[in-house]
Amino acid sequence: MENVLKSIINQFEIQSEFESFQELNSGHINDTFLIKTIQKPQYVLQKINNIVFKKAKKLIGNKIFVSNHLQQKLKYLPQKEIQQKVLCFVKAKDGTFFYEDANGNFWNASIFIEESVTFLKAENTQIAFEAGKITGEFLELTKDIDSAKITTILEDFHSVTVRYHQFKKALQHASEKKINQSKELIHFIEEHIEEMQEIDIAIQQNKLPLRVTHNDTKISNILFSKENKALCLIDTDTVMQGVLHFDYGDAIRTLCNTADEDEINTTKIGFNFEFFKSYTEGFFQTCKSATKQEINLLPISIKVLPFIMGMRFLTDYLNNDSYFKTTYQKHNLDRATNQFVFVKKITQQFFKIKEFIQAQ
């Protein structure tokens, strides 16, 4: 593996000689490696999963486009500081920003952000606040990009309507045993589907501005300083045209669930209202361009994103686990249960949630 990675990183305009490598396990789809060189900077080398991402070259193009835009926005800062706040990509020796290997895999390289840390879960309200700040800042700094210039990498990624159609199709072909095991969850979907399509309808009726959105704003996709200050939003593979509710709602989904996504003891699942408040305060501190209509639909986005995820897990369970990695037979069923219980916990505090958002 070392010789392969050394050969690939040498296709890029790196400033020092390859020394060693370390595999980074922060993502679940792409292969990512820290390339250590004799002198700084060090680099992050990534192989795009071309099974999940059919448009790998365009995906890299999106990342470069957004990176260049952010660097231009922050050009008043010293270059070293920009490289702490923005994923800065390295050109290949042929002048592009990617390398295609003999097997048709696409690779890209970026400058490693030194002395940064990541969290799998928010440890306190300060981290939640900083997560909100950096996500809001990303949306604010990219608001003037013509989102139509960004290639859609995964069609209808956060569309409740499309995910519901996929669920119904899976239901038609599922075994009777799996349908019986899923009865309560199927009923939950049918009971709430109309409410959960509110954002879809607003998009269709052009009531929400389309923006450049990150689409995967979990806490582990944020780099922090050792002083717990958010530095940079990373893993921009899913940067696409969307609405800010996708980024806000998904961040809350992963930040405010008191249990892990795989937790089967549903009594441990709750909605951390203090983390929600801190995240929201940070988000509004930097995202100044949110319209009244966008703000009105932010509360429902907190329900919609876990609902989509629960529906996706259940759909995969009915499809015999063809998409998500599982470690036991009912893994996806348990994950779906987890997300729907979380939606119920949000519903119990929904009046307080709406009141707090409207007060910002």
Side-chain angles (χ1 to χ4, degrees), residues 94-156:
D94 64 1
T96 66
F97 281 90
F98 62 85
Y99 170 68
E100 184 178 3
D101 67 21
N103 297 315
N105 297 307
F106 285 86
W107 298 76
N108 63 264
S110 60
I111 295 172
F112 176 66
I113 298 175
E114 299 282 349
E115 299 183 1
S116 59
V117 294
T118 57
F119 298 99
L120 294 177
K121 291 183 75 69
E123 296 179 357
N124 51 54
T125 53
Q126 182 197 348
I127 290 170
F129 177 81
E130 287 289 321
K133 252 178 79 175
I134 202 73
T135 307
E137 183 180 58
F138 176 87
L139 291 165
E140 192 69 18
L141 290 174
T142 58
K143 69 181 180 182
D144 54 342
I145 292 178
D146 179 359
S147 60
K149 292 181 178 178
I150 301 292
T151 301
T152 297
I153 300 300
L154 298 169
E155 295 285 344
D156 302 309

Side-chain angles (χ1 to χ4, degrees), residues 36 44 121 154-155 159 195 214 270 297 329-330 345:
K36 297 182 179 179
V44 175
K121 291 183 75 69
L154 298 169
E155 295 285 344
S159 168
E195 176 192 13
H214 183 280
L297 287 175
Q329 198 172 14
K330 291 185 179 179
K345 297 295 183 180

Side-chain angles (χ1 to χ4, degrees), residues 28-89:
H28 300 298
I29 296 175
N30 298 321
D31 296 326
T32 309
F33 306 90
L34 171 60
I35 304 298
K36 297 182 179 179
T37 50
I38 293 170
Q39 293 177 322
K40 292 182 180 179
Q42 297 175 341
Y43 301 89
V44 175
L45 183 65
Q46 185 182 57
K47 182 175 79 171
I48 305 299
N49 185 327
N50 58 12
I51 296 171
V52 173
F53 296 116
K54 306 294 185 187
K55 306 173 185 175
K57 193 189 296 188
K58 290 184 181 293
L59 179 154
I60 295 170
N62 283 351
K63 296 202 287 188
I64 304 305
F65 188 92
V66 170
S67 173
N68 289 343
H69 179 87
L70 292 174
Q71 290 179 64
Q72 184 64 24
K73 284 280 188 174
L74 300 173
K75 65 182 180 181
Y76 59 91
L77 296 173
Q79 185 63 22
K80 190 174 181 181
E81 194 171 338
I82 291 174
Q83 290 177 352
Q84 286 278 304
K85 293 181 69 66
V86 181
L87 279 180
C88 296
F89 293 90

Side-chain angles (χ1 to χ4, degrees), residues 216-269:
D216 191 11
T217 49
K218 60 192 176 192
I219 190 75
S220 59
N221 278 338
I222 299 170
L223 295 184
F224 289 81
S225 71
K226 291 178 179 176
E227 294 76 35
N228 291 344
K229 297 291 184 183
L231 295 172
C232 179
L233 198 56
I234 61 170
D235 196 2
T236 50
D237 297 338
T238 51
V239 164
M240 292 181 284
Q241 187 181 69
V243 292
L244 63 77
H245 307 78
F246 297 162
D247 285 354
Y248 178 82
D250 202 37
I252 297 292
R253 180 185 77 83
T254 54
L255 191 83
C256 297
N257 192 334
T258 56
D260 293 332
E261 205 172 65
D262 295 328
E263 180 58 63
I264 59 174
N265 182 353
T266 57
T267 62
K268 292 183 178 180
I269 300 169

Side-chain angles (χ1 to χ4, degrees), residues 310-349:
M311 195 156 53
R312 289 180 65 195
F313 284 139
L314 184 57
T315 299
D316 201 37
Y317 176 71
L318 297 172
N319 282 333
N320 300 315
D321 308 317
S322 59
Y323 186 84
F324 295 107
K325 290 178 183 176
T326 57
T327 56
Y328 59 93
Q329 198 172 14
K330 291 185 179 179
H331 199 166
N332 274 324
L333 185 66
D334 289 339
R335 286 164 167 164
T337 302
N338 180 303
Q339 294 297 297
F340 291 153
V341 170
F342 186 51
V343 173
K344 292 175 185 176
K345 297 295 183 180
I346 293 166
T347 301
Q348 289 170 6
Q349 301 193 61

